[in-house]
Amino acid sequence: QGALQMQGRDAKRKNASINGVYAAVSGGFNMKPAFEKADGSATRFLFYSVKKKRWKINENLDDSAGGFAYAKDAGDSGPGPQLRWHIFDGSGKGY
């Protein structure tokens, strides 16, 4: 997997910065594929959390924080259009 595109979050809504093209990170993360937002507009990583059994988007390759968005998945394959993403809408609103 070389790259993927994340799209669909309205530009006016919180965490719209998750939209964009993500390039594969050499070596991945925890033995799974990982991706970094490629356009430089915001530091974002998309990776699989073995601990939580979900794909996550966060500002670091770090599984200890909640992140901007997640999609539950068994992790058997890379992220794709089959995933249903939950995006953080802000304090008090949740995902």
Side-chain angles (χ1 to χ4, degrees):
Q1 293 185 10
L4 58 87
Q5 182 166 6
M6 196 64 169
Q7 61 186 22
R9 183 67 167 174
D10 188 312
K12 296 177 186 134
R13 297 197 55 196
K14 186 170 185 69
N15 292 323
S17 62
I18 66 169
N19 289 335
V21 174
Y22 288 73
V25 172
S26 179
F29 179 75
N30 284 340
M31 313 229 355
K32 298 282 187 182
F35 304 85
E36 182 175 11
K37 191 170 181 186
D39 69 4
S41 62
T43 303
R44 298 288 178 266
F45 290 93
L46 191 158
F47 61 94
Y48 188 75
S49 167
V50 174
K51 179 172 66 173
K52 294 277 193 177
K53 294 182 173 36
R54 59 180 64 172
W55 289 96
K56 294 172 67 173
I57 298 177
N58 201 347
E59 62 191 349
N60 300 301
L61 269 177
D62 177 6
D63 200 11
S64 65
F68 302 108
Y70 73 88
K72 292 183 180 180
D73 187 60
D76 297 329
S77 60
Q82 79 283 4
L83 297 177
R84 183 173 183 270
W85 287 91
H86 303 269
I87 302 161
F88 188 67
D89 269 329
S91 183
K93 295 180 182 177
Y95 288 88

